[in-house]
mmCIF file of all heavy atoms in Angstrom:
data_model
loop_
_atom_site.group_PDB
_atom_site.id
_atom_site.type_symbol
_atom_site.label_atom_id
_atom_site.label_comp_id
_atom_site.label_asym_id
_atom_site.label_seq_id
_atom_site.Cartn_x
_atom_site.Cartn_y
_atom_site.Cartn_z
ATOM 1 N N ARG A 1 38.278 23.334 -72.197
ATOM 2 C CA ARG A 1 38.472 24.636 -71.563
ATOM 3 C C ARG A 1 37.147 25.092 -70.964
ATOM 4 O O ARG A 1 36.081 24.854 -71.533
ATOM 5 C CB ARG A 1 38.959 25.679 -72.572
ATOM 6 C CG ARG A 1 40.341 25.408 -73.162
ATOM 7 C CD ARG A 1 41.438 25.545 -72.127
ATOM 8 N NE ARG A 1 42.765 25.283 -72.667
ATOM 9 C CZ ARG A 1 43.599 26.219 -73.088
ATOM 10 N NH1 ARG A 1 43.246 27.494 -73.029
ATOM 11 N NH2 ARG A 1 44.788 25.900 -73.567
ATOM 12 N N VAL A 2 37.228 25.766 -69.836
ATOM 13 C CA VAL A 2 36.056 26.392 -69.215
ATOM 14 C C VAL A 2 36.130 27.874 -69.529
ATOM 15 O O VAL A 2 37.112 28.538 -69.168
ATOM 16 C CB VAL A 2 36.033 26.155 -67.690
ATOM 17 C CG1 VAL A 2 34.833 26.857 -67.060
ATOM 18 C CG2 VAL A 2 35.993 24.662 -67.391
ATOM 19 N N THR A 3 35.134 28.400 -70.197
ATOM 20 C CA THR A 3 35.187 29.793 -70.642
ATOM 21 C C THR A 3 35.045 30.756 -69.468
ATOM 22 O O THR A 3 34.464 30.427 -68.430
ATOM 23 C CB THR A 3 34.079 30.091 -71.666
ATOM 24 O OG1 THR A 3 32.800 29.904 -71.039
ATOM 25 C CG2 THR A 3 34.190 29.184 -72.888
ATOM 26 N N ASP A 4 35.560 31.961 -69.672
ATOM 27 C CA ASP A 4 35.432 33.002 -68.650
ATOM 28 C C ASP A 4 33.970 33.281 -68.335
ATOM 29 O O ASP A 4 33.605 33.551 -67.193
ATOM 30 C CB ASP A 4 36.105 34.293 -69.132
ATOM 31 C CG ASP A 4 37.622 34.190 -69.136
ATOM 32 O OD1 ASP A 4 38.151 33.197 -68.600
ATOM 33 O OD2 ASP A 4 38.282 35.091 -69.682
ATOM 34 N N GLU A 5 33.111 33.200 -69.349
ATOM 35 C CA GLU A 5 31.702 33.521 -69.121
ATOM 36 C C GLU A 5 31.043 32.525 -68.176
ATOM 37 O O GLU A 5 30.189 32.898 -67.358
ATOM 38 C CB GLU A 5 30.945 33.562 -70.453
ATOM 39 C CG GLU A 5 29.558 34.139 -70.311
ATOM 40 C CD GLU A 5 28.885 34.398 -71.639
ATOM 41 O OE1 GLU A 5 29.513 34.192 -72.692
ATOM 42 O OE2 GLU A 5 27.706 34.807 -71.611
ATOM 43 N N VAL A 6 31.420 31.269 -68.256
ATOM 44 C CA VAL A 6 30.899 30.276 -67.309
ATOM 45 C C VAL A 6 31.380 30.592 -65.893
ATOM 46 O O VAL A 6 30.621 30.514 -64.926
ATOM 47 C CB VAL A 6 31.333 28.857 -67.718
ATOM 48 C CG1 VAL A 6 31.005 27.853 -66.615
ATOM 49 C CG2 VAL A 6 30.645 28.442 -69.011
ATOM 50 N N ILE A 7 32.636 30.982 -65.775
ATOM 51 C CA ILE A 7 33.184 31.326 -64.455
ATOM 52 C C ILE A 7 32.491 32.565 -63.902
ATOM 53 O O ILE A 7 32.137 32.617 -62.718
ATOM 54 C CB ILE A 7 34.702 31.537 -64.551
ATOM 55 C CG1 ILE A 7 35.382 30.245 -65.003
ATOM 56 C CG2 ILE A 7 35.276 32.002 -63.204
ATOM 57 C CD1 ILE A 7 36.846 30.382 -65.286
ATOM 58 N N TYR A 8 32.258 33.588 -64.757
ATOM 59 C CA TYR A 8 31.538 34.786 -64.313
ATOM 60 C C TYR A 8 30.130 34.413 -63.843
ATOM 61 O O TYR A 8 29.641 34.909 -62.829
ATOM 62 C CB TYR A 8 31.404 35.800 -65.451
ATOM 63 C CG TYR A 8 32.690 36.263 -66.062
ATOM 64 C CD1 TYR A 8 32.753 36.601 -67.417
ATOM 65 C CD2 TYR A 8 33.860 36.387 -65.317
ATOM 66 C CE1 TYR A 8 33.930 37.027 -68.007
ATOM 67 C CE2 TYR A 8 35.032 36.813 -65.891
ATOM 68 C CZ TYR A 8 35.068 37.129 -67.239
ATOM 69 O OH TYR A 8 36.217 37.545 -67.822
ATOM 70 N N TYR A 9 29.484 33.527 -64.596
ATOM 71 C CA TYR A 9 28.121 33.130 -64.260
ATOM 72 C C TYR A 9 28.066 32.429 -62.903
ATOM 73 O O TYR A 9 27.186 32.703 -62.075
ATOM 74 C CB TYR A 9 27.583 32.214 -65.359
ATOM 75 C CG TYR A 9 26.184 31.680 -65.101
ATOM 76 C CD1 TYR A 9 25.104 32.546 -64.971
ATOM 77 C CD2 TYR A 9 25.952 30.302 -65.002
ATOM 78 C CE1 TYR A 9 23.822 32.058 -64.745
ATOM 79 C CE2 TYR A 9 24.687 29.809 -64.771
ATOM 80 C CZ TYR A 9 23.629 30.693 -64.643
ATOM 81 O OH TYR A 9 22.367 30.199 -64.411
ATOM 82 N N ARG A 10 29.021 31.549 -62.652
ATOM 83 C CA ARG A 10 29.047 30.853 -61.365
ATOM 84 C C ARG A 10 29.312 31.828 -60.223
ATOM 85 O O ARG A 10 28.731 31.695 -59.136
ATOM 86 C CB ARG A 10 30.098 29.751 -61.386
ATOM 87 C CG ARG A 10 29.863 28.677 -62.426
ATOM 88 C CD ARG A 10 30.815 27.506 -62.276
ATOM 89 N NE ARG A 10 30.405 26.622 -61.194
ATOM 90 C CZ ARG A 10 31.065 25.524 -60.859
ATOM 91 N NH1 ARG A 10 32.167 25.187 -61.496
ATOM 92 N NH2 ARG A 10 30.636 24.759 -59.863
ATOM 93 N N LYS A 11 30.186 32.805 -60.441
ATOM 94 C CA LYS A 11 30.448 33.808 -59.412
ATOM 95 C C LYS A 11 29.213 34.680 -59.187
ATOM 96 O O LYS A 11 28.901 35.057 -58.050
ATOM 97 C CB LYS A 11 31.641 34.675 -59.823
ATOM 98 C CG LYS A 11 32.987 33.959 -59.746
ATOM 99 C CD LYS A 11 34.141 34.921 -60.029
ATOM 100 C CE LYS A 11 35.482 34.232 -59.830
ATOM 101 N NZ LYS A 11 36.623 35.149 -60.067
ATOM 102 N N TRP A 12 28.525 35.008 -60.281
ATOM 103 C CA TRP A 12 27.307 35.824 -60.181
ATOM 104 C C TRP A 12 26.254 35.104 -59.348
ATOM 105 O O TRP A 12 25.586 35.718 -58.509
ATOM 106 C CB TRP A 12 26.785 36.109 -61.589
ATOM 107 C CG TRP A 12 25.488 36.840 -61.648
ATOM 108 C CD1 TRP A 12 25.268 38.161 -61.380
ATOM 109 C CD2 TRP A 12 24.209 36.285 -61.999
ATOM 110 N NE1 TRP A 12 23.928 38.466 -61.547
ATOM 111 C CE2 TRP A 12 23.270 37.332 -61.931
ATOM 112 C CE3 TRP A 12 23.789 35.021 -62.382
ATOM 113 C CZ2 TRP A 12 21.924 37.143 -62.235
ATOM 114 C CZ3 TRP A 12 22.452 34.820 -62.680
ATOM 115 C CH2 TRP A 12 21.545 35.884 -62.599
ATOM 116 N N ILE A 13 26.117 33.798 -59.537
ATOM 117 C CA ILE A 13 25.162 33.024 -58.743
ATOM 118 C C ILE A 13 25.549 33.058 -57.267
ATOM 119 O O ILE A 13 24.699 33.278 -56.390
ATOM 120 C CB ILE A 13 25.102 31.564 -59.246
ATOM 121 C CG1 ILE A 13 24.379 31.500 -60.591
ATOM 122 C CG2 ILE A 13 24.405 30.667 -58.224
ATOM 123 C CD1 ILE A 13 24.353 30.118 -61.210
ATOM 124 N N LYS A 14 26.814 32.847 -56.975
ATOM 125 C CA LYS A 14 27.267 32.803 -55.581
ATOM 126 C C LYS A 14 27.032 34.135 -54.884
ATOM 127 O O LYS A 14 26.656 34.177 -53.705
ATOM 128 C CB LYS A 14 28.745 32.434 -55.549
ATOM 129 C CG LYS A 14 29.267 32.017 -54.181
ATOM 130 C CD LYS A 14 30.693 31.537 -54.262
ATOM 131 C CE LYS A 14 31.170 30.961 -52.944
ATOM 132 N NZ LYS A 14 30.502 29.701 -52.593
ATOM 133 N N GLU A 15 27.249 35.241 -55.623
ATOM 134 C CA GLU A 15 27.099 36.568 -55.030
ATOM 135 C C GLU A 15 25.649 37.023 -54.964
ATOM 136 O O GLU A 15 25.243 37.715 -54.024
ATOM 137 C CB GLU A 15 27.921 37.584 -55.828
ATOM 138 C CG GLU A 15 29.429 37.334 -55.754
ATOM 139 C CD GLU A 15 30.199 38.137 -56.777
ATOM 140 O OE1 GLU A 15 29.552 38.880 -57.558
ATOM 141 O OE2 GLU A 15 31.442 38.020 -56.822
ATOM 142 N N THR A 16 24.850 36.650 -55.956
ATOM 143 C CA THR A 16 23.479 37.149 -56.066
ATOM 144 C C THR A 16 22.491 36.305 -55.281
ATOM 145 O O THR A 16 21.480 36.806 -54.803
ATOM 146 C CB THR A 16 23.053 37.191 -57.548
ATOM 147 O OG1 THR A 16 24.061 37.860 -58.305
ATOM 148 C CG2 THR A 16 21.731 37.924 -57.714
ATOM 149 N N PHE A 17 22.777 34.994 -55.151
ATOM 150 C CA PHE A 17 21.839 34.098 -54.484
ATOM 151 C C PHE A 17 22.534 33.351 -53.341
ATOM 152 O O PHE A 17 22.641 32.118 -53.357
ATOM 153 C CB PHE A 17 21.262 33.094 -55.490
ATOM 154 C CG PHE A 17 20.603 33.729 -56.678
ATOM 155 C CD1 PHE A 17 21.300 33.866 -57.874
ATOM 156 C CD2 PHE A 17 19.307 34.201 -56.598
ATOM 157 C CE1 PHE A 17 20.706 34.445 -58.971
ATOM 158 C CE2 PHE A 17 18.708 34.792 -57.702
ATOM 159 C CZ PHE A 17 19.405 34.923 -58.890
ATOM 160 N N PRO A 18 23.032 34.087 -52.337
ATOM 161 C CA PRO A 18 23.711 33.409 -51.214
ATOM 162 C C PRO A 18 22.706 32.578 -50.416
ATOM 163 O O PRO A 18 21.509 32.874 -50.381
ATOM 164 C CB PRO A 18 24.262 34.573 -50.384
ATOM 165 C CG PRO A 18 23.345 35.728 -50.698
ATOM 166 C CD PRO A 18 22.947 35.546 -52.131
ATOM 167 N N LEU A 19 23.213 31.551 -49.781
ATOM 168 C CA LEU A 19 22.358 30.695 -48.972
ATOM 169 C C LEU A 19 21.968 31.403 -47.681
ATOM 170 O O LEU A 19 22.802 32.046 -47.036
ATOM 171 C CB LEU A 19 23.080 29.394 -48.623
ATOM 172 C CG LEU A 19 23.393 28.443 -49.785
ATOM 173 C CD1 LEU A 19 24.204 27.263 -49.263
ATOM 174 C CD2 LEU A 19 22.129 27.957 -50.456
ATOM 175 N N SER A 20 20.711 31.280 -47.312
ATOM 176 C CA SER A 20 20.267 31.782 -46.009
ATOM 177 C C SER A 20 20.681 30.784 -44.930
ATOM 178 O O SER A 20 21.087 29.656 -45.219
ATOM 179 C CB SER A 20 18.745 31.945 -46.003
ATOM 180 O OG SER A 20 18.110 30.681 -46.120
ATOM 181 N N LEU A 21 20.576 31.198 -43.671
ATOM 182 C CA LEU A 21 20.950 30.315 -42.567
ATOM 183 C C LEU A 21 20.105 29.049 -42.570
ATOM 184 O O LEU A 21 20.603 27.950 -42.323
ATOM 185 C CB LEU A 21 20.798 31.047 -41.232
ATOM 186 C CG LEU A 21 21.822 32.158 -40.960
ATOM 187 C CD1 LEU A 21 21.511 32.842 -39.638
ATOM 188 C CD2 LEU A 21 23.236 31.569 -40.934
ATOM 189 N N GLY A 22 18.823 29.207 -42.869
ATOM 190 C CA GLY A 22 17.937 28.038 -42.908
ATOM 191 C C GLY A 22 18.328 27.077 -44.013
ATOM 192 O O GLY A 22 18.284 25.860 -43.835
ATOM 193 N N GLU A 23 18.719 27.621 -45.167
ATOM 194 C CA GLU A 23 19.121 26.766 -46.283
ATOM 195 C C GLU A 23 20.434 26.057 -45.985
ATOM 196 O O GLU A 23 20.623 24.892 -46.349
ATOM 197 C CB GLU A 23 19.233 27.604 -47.559
ATOM 198 C CG GLU A 23 17.883 28.078 -48.083
ATOM 199 C CD GLU A 23 18.027 29.145 -49.152
ATOM 200 O OE1 GLU A 23 19.080 29.837 -49.176
ATOM 201 O OE2 GLU A 23 17.082 29.310 -49.952
ATOM 202 N N VAL A 24 21.359 26.749 -45.312
ATOM 203 C CA VAL A 24 22.619 26.112 -44.932
ATOM 204 C C VAL A 24 22.357 24.954 -43.982
ATOM 205 O O VAL A 24 22.912 23.858 -44.123
ATOM 206 C CB VAL A 24 23.573 27.132 -44.280
ATOM 207 C CG1 VAL A 24 24.787 26.423 -43.703
ATOM 208 C CG2 VAL A 24 24.000 28.177 -45.297
#
């Protein structure tokens, strides 16, 4: 099972550290 906390953490990373155009 993948815990909710792992899913929250992955979403937090995606929202908090989005890729810049240069990084993309």
